[in-house]
Amino acid sequence: LILTGMSGAGKSTAFKILEDIGYHCVDNLPVALLKNFVDLSVKNADAKKVAVGIDIRNGDAINDLQDILMELDDDGKAFDILFLDAEDDVLVKRYKETRRTHPLSNGQRVQQSIAEERIKMQFLKDKADYIIDTTHLLVRDLKEEMQKIFVNHENHKSMFVTILSFGYKYGIPKDADLVFDVRFLPNPYYIEELRPKTGLDIEISNFVMKNKEAHEFVDKLWDMVSFLIPQYIAEGKTQLVICIGCTGGKHRSVTLAQELYYKLCGDKNYGLRVEHRDIDKDAKRGK
């Protein structure tokens, strides 16, 4: 297995996960040594599962990798490529948090280095057997995805859909792809006994879904999203964030995000999860 991808996309974490599931791992291998490394691995009966990390840290030598991979193909040496990616804004944020220097820095801004790296690494992404976008993944999510591929041998779903509820008073999520406003529905906030509850509680769910407009909204949204997702997959998109917003992100949007999740969770062609960004914010602010 060749583990590669964008700097800051989570390759170090991925290596730890691979080690935990029984892989012999070697990171930052010089490109020139790859063929010899593969030959040694084939001869080593104990090394049945081997992962090697090759990325932009190889500098200009990364340009030689394409020819070497073709030679391995011609020699009948079987290998897979796992490419980790993330959105540019997230990569910049991770570099700021860790205060590490990008391998292509040379005094330029991180955003410029990322743009240059993306161009240089595109041929590996095009050739990859598995692409995991870690933009919205926690460590446990990445571990789950990798276990599906390398332990359970499930078909990898390159598209990951996140359904995210939010409150407009806290701002529209910056990573939103599709945004839907459900403030047209009656607000349980104005009913005193319902105010402390959330859209995860049955009382709020019943209050919201007793409106025929709520059912019609979910049905129409499900129909549209079911049409759009295959189009995005065909276009090569790996992450889709569907945002549903109400005033505070606690009642209506939560219920409808859950309803959409229930309708979509039967589809096995993509990964799916639901999140509620602002569900607890009113409580934290003492409101």
Side-chain angles (χ1 to χ4, degrees), residues 37-105:
F37 180 81
V38 172
D39 290 336
L40 289 172
S41 299
V42 171
K43 293 176 183 177
N44 184 356
D46 294 328
K48 294 182 179 179
K49 297 193 292 185
V50 180
V52 56
I54 297 180
D55 51 47
I56 202 63
R57 289 173 292 177
N58 264 269
D60 290 338
I62 199 73
N63 298 325
D64 301 327
L65 183 57
Q66 194 161 9
D67 291 336
I68 293 174
L69 294 179
M70 290 178 63
E71 292 175 16
L72 290 175
D73 276 331
D74 293 339
D75 292 342
K77 302 291 175 55
F79 62 88
D80 287 333
I81 298 176
L82 168 60
F83 191 100
L84 297 187
D85 201 357
E87 294 176 0
D88 289 359
D89 289 346
V90 172
L91 295 176
V92 171
K93 181 181 177 183
R94 290 174 184 173
Y95 267 101
K96 287 183 177 179
E97 290 173 347
T98 61
R99 299 186 178 181
R100 297 197 65 185
T101 302
H102 192 281
L104 297 179
S105 176

Coordinates of all heavy atoms in Angstrom, one line a residue, residues 37-105:
F37 N 12.6 -1.6 -2.4 CA 11.8 -1.8 -1.2 C 10.7 -2.8 -1.5 O 10.4 -3.7 -0.7 CB 11.2 -0.5 -0.7 CG 10.3 -0.6 0.6 CD1 10.9 -0.7 1.8 CD2 8.9 -0.7 0.5 CE1 10.1 -0.8 3.0 CE2 8.1 -0.9 1.6 CZ 8.7 -0.9 2.8
V38 N 10.0 -2.7 -2.6 CA 9.0 -3.6 -3.0 C 9.6 -5.0 -3.2 O 9.0 -6.0 -2.7 CB 8.3 -3.2 -4.3 CG1 7.3 -4.2 -4.8 CG2 7.5 -1.9 -4.1
D39 N 10.7 -5.1 -3.8 CA 11.4 -6.4 -4.0 C 11.7 -7.1 -2.7 O 11.4 -8.3 -2.5 CB 12.6 -6.3 -4.8 CG 12.4 -5.9 -6.3 OD1 11.3 -6.2 -6.7 OD2 13.3 -5.4 -6.9
L40 N 12.2 -6.3 -1.7 CA 12.5 -6.9 -0.4 C 11.2 -7.3 0.3 O 11.2 -8.3 1.0 CB 13.3 -5.8 0.4 CG 14.7 -5.6 0.0 CD1 15.3 -4.4 0.8 CD2 15.6 -6.8 0.2
S41 N 10.2 -6.5 0.2 CA 8.9 -6.8 0.9 C 8.3 -8.1 0.3 O 7.8 -8.9 1.1 CB 7.9 -5.7 0.7 OG 8.4 -4.5 1.2
V42 N 8.4 -8.3 -1.0 CA 7.9 -9.6 -1.6 C 8.6 -10.8 -1.1 O 8.1 -11.8 -0.9 CB 8.0 -9.5 -3.2 CG1 7.7 -10.8 -3.8 CG2 7.1 -8.4 -3.7
K43 N 10.0 -10.7 -0.9 CA 10.8 -11.8 -0.4 C 10.6 -12.1 1.1 O 10.9 -13.2 1.5 CB 12.2 -11.5 -0.7 CG 12.6 -11.4 -2.2 CD 14.0 -11.0 -2.4 CE 14.4 -10.9 -3.8 NZ 15.8 -10.4 -4.1
N44 N 10.1 -11.1 1.8 CA 9.9 -11.2 3.3 C 8.5 -11.9 3.6 O 7.5 -11.2 3.5 CB 10.0 -9.9 4.0 CG 10.0 -10.0 5.5 OD1 9.7 -11.1 6.0 ND2 10.2 -8.9 6.1
A45 N 8.5 -13.1 3.9 CA 7.3 -13.8 4.1 C 6.5 -13.3 5.3 O 5.3 -13.4 5.4 CB 7.6 -15.3 4.4
D46 N 7.2 -12.7 6.3 CA 6.5 -12.1 7.4 C 5.8 -10.8 7.2 O 4.9 -10.4 7.9 CB 7.5 -11.9 8.6 CG 8.1 -13.3 9.1 OD1 7.3 -14.3 9.0 OD2 9.2 -13.3 9.5
A47 N 6.2 -10.1 6.1 CA 5.7 -8.8 5.8 C 4.6 -9.0 4.8 O 4.7 -8.6 3.6 CB 6.8 -7.9 5.3
K48 N 3.4 -9.5 5.2 CA 2.3 -9.7 4.3 C 1.5 -8.4 4.0 O 1.0 -8.3 2.9 CB 1.3 -10.7 4.9 CG 2.0 -12.1 5.1 CD 1.0 -13.1 5.6 CE 1.6 -14.5 5.8 NZ 0.6 -15.5 6.3
K49 N 1.6 -7.5 4.9 CA 0.9 -6.2 4.7 C 1.9 -5.1 5.0 O 2.3 -4.9 6.1 CB -0.3 -6.1 5.6 CG -1.4 -7.1 5.4 CD -2.7 -6.7 6.1 CE -2.6 -6.8 7.6 NZ -3.9 -6.6 8.2
V50 N 2.2 -4.4 3.9 CA 3.3 -3.4 4.0 C 2.7 -2.0 3.5 O 2.1 -2.0 2.4 CB 4.5 -3.8 3.2 CG1 5.6 -2.7 3.3 CG2 5.1 -5.1 3.7
A51 N 2.9 -1.0 4.2 CA 2.5 0.4 3.8 C 3.8 1.3 3.7 O 4.6 1.3 4.6 CB 1.5 0.9 4.7
V52 N 3.9 2.0 2.7 CA 5.0 2.9 2.5 C 4.5 4.3 2.2 O 3.5 4.5 1.4 CB 6.0 2.5 1.4 CG1 5.2 2.3 0.1 CG2 7.1 3.4 1.2
G53 N 5.0 5.3 2.9 CA 4.6 6.7 2.7 C 5.5 7.4 1.7 O 6.7 7.5 1.9
I54 N 4.9 8.0 0.7 CA 5.7 8.8 -0.3 C 4.9 10.0 -0.6 O 3.7 9.9 -1.0 CB 6.0 8.0 -1.6 CG1 6.9 6.8 -1.3 CG2 6.6 8.9 -2.6 CD1 7.2 5.9 -2.5
D55 N 5.4 11.1 -0.5 CA 4.7 12.4 -0.7 C 5.6 13.5 -1.2 O 6.8 13.2 -1.6 CB 3.9 12.8 0.5 CG 4.7 12.8 1.8 OD1 5.8 13.4 1.7 OD2 4.3 12.2 2.8
I56 N 5.2 14.7 -1.0 CA 5.9 15.9 -1.6 C 7.2 16.1 -0.8 O 8.0 16.9 -1.3 CB 5.0 17.1 -1.5 CG1 5.4 18.2 -2.5 CG2 4.9 17.7 -0.1 CD1 5.4 17.7 -4.0
R57 N 7.4 15.5 0.3 CA 8.7 15.6 1.0 C 9.8 15.1 0.2 O 11.0 15.4 0.5 CB 8.6 14.9 2.4 CG 7.7 15.6 3.4 CD 7.6 14.8 4.6 NE 6.8 13.6 4.4 CZ 6.6 12.6 5.3 NH1 7.1 12.7 6.5 NH2 5.9 11.5 5.0
N58 N 9.6 14.3 -0.9 CA 10.6 13.9 -1.8 C 11.1 15.0 -2.7 O 12.1 14.7 -3.4 CB 10.1 12.7 -2.6 CG 10.4 11.3 -2.0 OD1 11.5 10.8 -2.4 ND2 9.6 10.8 -1.2
G59 N 10.5 16.1 -2.7 CA 10.9 17.2 -3.5 C 10.7 16.9 -5.0 O 9.7 16.3 -5.4
D60 N 11.6 17.3 -5.8 CA 11.5 17.1 -7.3 C 11.5 15.7 -7.7 O 11.1 15.3 -8.8 CB 12.6 17.9 -8.0 CG 12.5 19.4 -7.9 OD1 11.4 19.9 -7.7 OD2 13.5 20.1 -8.1
A61 N 12.0 14.8 -6.8 CA 12.1 13.4 -7.1 C 10.7 12.8 -7.2 O 10.5 11.7 -7.8 CB 12.9 12.6 -6.0
I62 N 9.7 13.5 -6.7 CA 8.3 13.0 -6.9 C 7.9 12.9 -8.3 O 7.1 12.1 -8.7 CB 7.3 13.9 -6.1 CG1 6.0 13.2 -5.8 CG2 7.1 15.2 -6.8 CD1 6.1 12.1 -4.8
N63 N 8.6 13.7 -9.2 CA 8.3 13.6 -10.6 C 8.7 12.3 -11.2 O 8.2 11.9 -12.3 CB 9.0 14.8 -11.3 CG 8.6 16.1 -10.9 OD1 7.4 16.3 -10.5 ND2 9.5 17.1 -10.8
D64 N 9.6 11.5 -10.6 CA 10.1 10.2 -11.1 C 9.1 9.1 -10.7 O 9.2 8.0 -11.2 CB 11.5 9.9 -10.6 CG 12.5 11.0 -11.0 OD1 12.3 11.5 -12.1 OD2 13.4 11.2 -10.2
L65 N 8.2 9.4 -9.8 CA 7.4 8.3 -9.2 C 6.4 7.7 -10.3 O 6.2 6.5 -10.3 CB 6.6 8.9 -8.0 CG 5.7 7.9 -7.3 CD1 6.5 6.7 -6.8 CD2 5.0 8.5 -6.2
Q66 N 5.9 8.6 -11.2 CA 5.0 8.1 -12.2 C 5.6 6.9 -13.0 O 5.0 5.9 -13.3 CB 4.5 9.2 -13.0 CG 3.3 8.9 -13.9 CD 2.6 10.1 -14.4 OE1 3.0 11.2 -14.2 NE2 1.4 9.9 -14.9
D67 N 6.9 7.1 -13.4 CA 7.6 6.1 -14.2 C 7.8 4.9 -13.4 O 7.7 3.8 -13.9 CB 8.9 6.7 -14.8 CG 8.6 7.8 -15.9 OD1 7.6 7.8 -16.5 OD2 9.5 8.6 -16.1
I68 N 8.2 5.1 -12.2 CA 8.5 3.9 -11.3 C 7.2 3.1 -11.1 O 7.3 1.8 -11.1 CB 9.1 4.4 -10.0 CG1 10.5 5.0 -10.2 CG2 9.2 3.2 -9.0 CD1 11.1 5.6 -9.0
L69 N 6.1 3.7 -10.9 CA 4.8 3.0 -10.7 C 4.5 2.2 -12.0 O 4.0 1.1 -11.9 CB 3.7 4.0 -10.3 CG 3.9 4.7 -9.0 CD1 2.7 5.6 -8.8 CD2 3.9 3.7 -7.8
M70 N 4.8 2.8 -13.1 CA 4.5 2.1 -14.4 C 5.4 0.9 -14.5 O 5.0 -0.2 -14.9 CB 4.7 3.0 -15.6 CG 3.7 4.1 -15.7 SD 4.0 5.3 -17.1 CE 3.9 4.1 -18.5
E71 N 6.6 1.0 -14.0 CA 7.6 -0.2 -14.1 C 7.1 -1.3 -13.1 O 7.2 -2.4 -13.5 CB 9.0 0.3 -13.7 CG 9.6 1.2 -14.7 CD 11.0 1.7 -14.2 OE1 11.5 1.2 -13.2 OE2 11.5 2.7 -14.8
L72 N 6.6 -0.9 -12.0 CA 6.0 -1.9 -11.0 C 4.8 -2.6 -11.6 O 4.7 -3.8 -11.5 CB 5.6 -1.2 -9.7 CG 6.8 -0.7 -8.8 CD1 6.2 0.0 -7.6 CD2 7.7 -1.9 -8.3
D73 N 4.0 -1.8 -12.3 CA 2.9 -2.4 -13.0 C 3.3 -3.4 -14.1 O 2.8 -4.6 -14.2 CB 2.0 -1.3 -13.7 CG 1.0 -0.7 -12.8 OD1 0.6 -1.4 -11.8 OD2 0.7 0.5 -13.0
D74 N 4.3 -3.0 -14.9 CA 4.9 -3.9 -15.9 C 5.5 -5.1 -15.3 O 5.5 -6.2 -16.0 CB 5.9 -3.1 -16.8 CG 5.3 -2.0 -17.6 OD1 4.0 -2.0 -17.8 OD2 6.0 -1.1 -18.0
D75 N 6.1 -5.0 -14.1 CA 6.7 -6.2 -13.5 C 5.7 -7.1 -12.8 O 6.1 -8.1 -12.2 CB 7.8 -5.7 -12.5 CG 9.0 -5.0 -13.2 OD1 9.1 -5.3 -14.4 OD2 9.7 -4.3 -12.5
G76 N 4.5 -6.7 -12.8 CA 3.4 -7.5 -12.1 C 3.4 -7.4 -10.6 O 2.9 -8.2 -9.9
K77 N 4.0 -6.3 -10.1 CA 4.0 -6.0 -8.6 C 2.8 -5.3 -8.3 O 2.5 -4.2 -8.7 CB 5.3 -5.2 -8.3 CG 6.6 -5.8 -8.7 CD 6.9 -7.1 -7.9 CE 8.2 -7.8 -8.4 NZ 9.3 -6.9 -8.4
A78 N 2.0 -6.0 -7.5 CA 0.6 -5.4 -7.1 C 0.8 -4.4 -6.0 O 1.5 -4.6 -5.0 CB -0.3 -6.5 -6.6
F79 N 0.1 -3.3 -6.1 CA 0.1 -2.2 -5.1 C -1.2 -1.4 -5.2 O -1.8 -1.4 -6.3 CB 1.3 -1.3 -5.2 CG 1.4 -0.5 -6.5 CD1 0.7 0.7 -6.6 CD2 2.0 -1.0 -7.6 CE1 0.8 1.4 -7.8 CE2 2.1 -0.3 -8.8 CZ 1.4 0.9 -8.9
D80 N -1.6 -0.9 -4.1 CA -2.7 0.0 -4.1 C -2.2 1.4 -3.6 O -1.2 1.5 -2.9 CB -3.8 -0.5 -3.1 CG -4.6 -1.6 -3.6 OD1 -4.6 -1.8 -4.9 OD2 -5.1 -2.4 -2.8
I81 N -3.0 2.4 -3.9 CA -2.6 3.8 -3.5 C -3.8 4.4 -2.7 O -4.9 4.4 -3.2 CB -2.3 4.7 -4.7 CG1 -1.1 4.2 -5.5 CG2 -2.1 6.1 -4.2 CD1 -0.8 5.0 -6.8
L82 N -3.5 4.8 -1.5 CA -4.4 5.5 -0.7 C -4.0 7.0 -0.6 O -2.9 7.3 -0.2 CB -4.5 5.0 0.8 CG -5.2 5.8 1.8 CD1 -6.7 6.0 1.4 CD2 -5.1 5.1 3.2
F83 N -4.9 7.9 -1.1 CA -4.6 9.3 -1.2 C -5.5 10.0 -0.2 O -6.7 10.0 -0.3 CB -4.9 9.8 -2.6 CG -4.4 11.2 -2.9 CD1 -3.2 11.4 -3.5 CD2 -5.1 12.3 -2.5 CE1 -2.7 12.7 -3.8 CE2 -4.6 13.6 -2.7 CZ -3.4 13.8 -3.4
L84 N -4.9 10.7 0.7 CA -5.6 11.5 1.7 C -5.6 13.0 1.2 O -4.6 13.6 0.9 CB -5.0 11.5 3.1 CG -4.9 10.1 3.8 CD1 -4.4 10.2 5.2 CD2 -6.3 9.4 3.8
D85 N -6.8 13.6 1.3 CA -7.0 15.0 0.8 C -7.8 15.8 1.8 O -8.4 15.2 2.8 CB -7.7 15.0 -0.5 CG -7.4 16.2 -1.3 OD1 -6.8 17.2 -0.8 OD2 -7.9 16.3 -2.5
A86 N -7.8 17.1 1.7 CA -8.6 17.9 2.5 C -8.7 19.3 1.8 O -7.9 19.6 0.9 CB -8.0 18.1 3.9
E87 N -9.7 20.0 2.1 CA -9.9 21.3 1.5 C -8.8 22.3 1.9 O -8.2 22.2 3.0 CB -11.3 21.9 1.9 CG -12.4 21.1 1.3 CD -13.8 21.7 1.8 OE1 -13.8 22.7 2.6 OE2 -14.8 21.1 1.4
D88 N -8.4 23.2 1.0 CA -7.3 24.1 1.2 C -7.4 24.9 2.5 O -6.4 25.0 3.3 CB -7.1 25.1 0.0 CG -6.6 24.4 -1.2 OD1 -6.4 23.2 -1.2 OD2 -6.5 25.1 -2.2
D89 N -8.6 25.4 2.8 CA -8.8 26.2 4.0 C -8.5 25.4 5.3 O -7.9 25.9 6.3 CB -10.2 26.8 4.1 CG -10.4 27.9 3.1 OD1 -9.4 28.4 2.5 OD2 -11.6 28.3 2.8
V90 N -8.9 24.2 5.3 CA -8.6 23.3 6.4 C -7.2 23.0 6.5 O -6.6 23.0 7.7 CB -9.5 22.0 6.3 CG1 -9.1 21.0 7.3 CG2 -10.9 22.3 6.3
L91 N -6.5 22.8 5.4 CA -5.0 22.5 5.5 C -4.3 23.7 6.0 O -3.4 23.6 6.9 CB -4.5 22.2 4.1 CG -5.0 20.9 3.4 CD1 -4.5 20.7 2.0 CD2 -4.6 19.7 4.3
V92 N -4.7 24.9 5.6 CA -4.1 26.1 6.1 C -4.3 26.2 7.6 O -3.4 26.5 8.4 CB -4.6 27.4 5.4 CG1 -4.2 28.7 6.1 CG2 -4.2 27.4 4.0
K93 N -5.5 25.9 8.1 CA -5.8 26.0 9.5 C -5.0 25.0 10.3 O -4.5 25.3 11.4 CB -7.3 25.7 9.7 CG -7.8 25.8 11.2 CD -9.2 25.5 11.3 CE -9.7 25.5 12.8 NZ -11.1 25.1 12.9
R94 N -4.8 23.8 9.8 CA -4.0 22.8 10.5 C -2.6 23.2 10.6 O -1.9 23.0 11.6 CB -4.2 21.4 9.7 CG -5.6 20.8 9.9 CD -5.7 19.6 9.1 NE -7.1 19.1 9.2 CZ -7.5 18.0 8.4 NH1 -6.7 17.4 7.6 NH2 -8.8 17.6 8.6
Y95 N -2.0 23.8 9.5 CA -0.7 24.3 9.6 C -0.5 25.4 10.6 O 0.5 25.5 11.3 CB -0.2 24.8 8.2 CG 0.5 23.7 7.5 CD1 -0.2 23.0 6.5 CD2 1.8 23.3 7.8 CE1 0.5 21.9 5.8 CE2 2.4 22.3 7.1 CZ 1.8 21.6 6.1 OH 2.4 20.6 5.4
K96 N -1.5 26.3 10.7 CA -1.4 27.4 11.7 C -1.5 26.8 13.1 O -0.8 27.3 14.0 CB -2.6 28.3 11.5 CG -2.4 29.2 10.3 CD -3.6 30.2 10.1 CE -3.4 31.2 9.0 NZ -4.5 32.1 8.8
E97 N -2.3 25.8 13.3 CA -2.5 25.2 14.7 C -1.2 24.4 15.1 O -0.8 24.5 16.3 CB -3.7 24.2 14.7 CG -5.0 25.0 14.6 CD -6.2 24.0 14.4 OE1 -5.9 22.8 14.2 OE2 -7.3 24.5 14.6
T98 N -0.6 23.7 14.2 CA 0.6 22.9 14.5 C 1.9 23.8 14.4 O 2.9 23.4 14.9 CB 0.7 21.7 13.6 OG1 0.9 22.1 12.2 CG2 -0.5 20.8 13.7
R99 N 1.8 24.9 13.7 CA 3.0 25.8 13.5 C 4.1 25.1 12.8 O 5.3 25.4 13.0 CB 3.4 26.4 14.8 CG 2.4 27.2 15.5 CD 2.9 27.9 16.7 NE 1.9 28.8 17.3 CZ 2.1 29.5 18.4 NH1 3.3 29.5 19.0 NH2 1.1 30.2 18.9
R100 N 3.8 24.1 12.0 CA 4.8 23.4 11.2 C 5.0 24.1 9.8 O 4.1 24.9 9.4 CB 4.4 21.9 10.9 CG 4.3 21.1 12.2 CD 4.3 19.6 11.9 NE 5.5 19.2 11.3 CZ 5.7 18.0 10.9 NH1 4.8 17.1 10.9 NH2 6.9 17.7 10.4
T101 N 6.1 23.9 9.2 CA 6.4 24.5 7.9 C 6.1 23.5 6.8 O 6.4 22.4 6.9 CB 8.0 24.8 7.9 OG1 8.3 25.7 8.9 CG2 8.3 25.5 6.5
H102 N 5.4 24.1 5.8 CA 5.1 23.2 4.6 C 6.3 22.8 3.9 O 7.3 23.6 3.8 CB 4.1 24.0 3.7 CG 3.5 23.2 2.7 ND1 4.2 22.8 1.5 CD2 2.3 22.7 2.6 CE1 3.4 22.1 0.8 NE2 2.2 22.0 1.4
P103 N 6.4 21.6 3.4 CA 7.6 21.1 2.7 C 8.0 21.9 1.5 O 9.2 21.9 1.1 CB 7.2 19.7 2.3 CG 6.1 19.3 3.2 CD 5.4 20.5 3.6
L104 N 7.1 22.6 0.9 CA 7.4 23.5 -0.3 C 7.4 25.0 0.1 O 7.4 25.8 -0.8 CB 6.3 23.3 -1.4 CG 6.2 21.9 -1.9 CD1 5.1 21.8 -3.0 CD2 7.5 21.4 -2.5
S105 N 7.6 25.3 1.4 CA 7.5 26.6 1.8 C 8.4 27.6 1.1 O 8.0 28.5 0.4 CB 7.8 26.7 3.3 OG 7.8 28.0 3.8

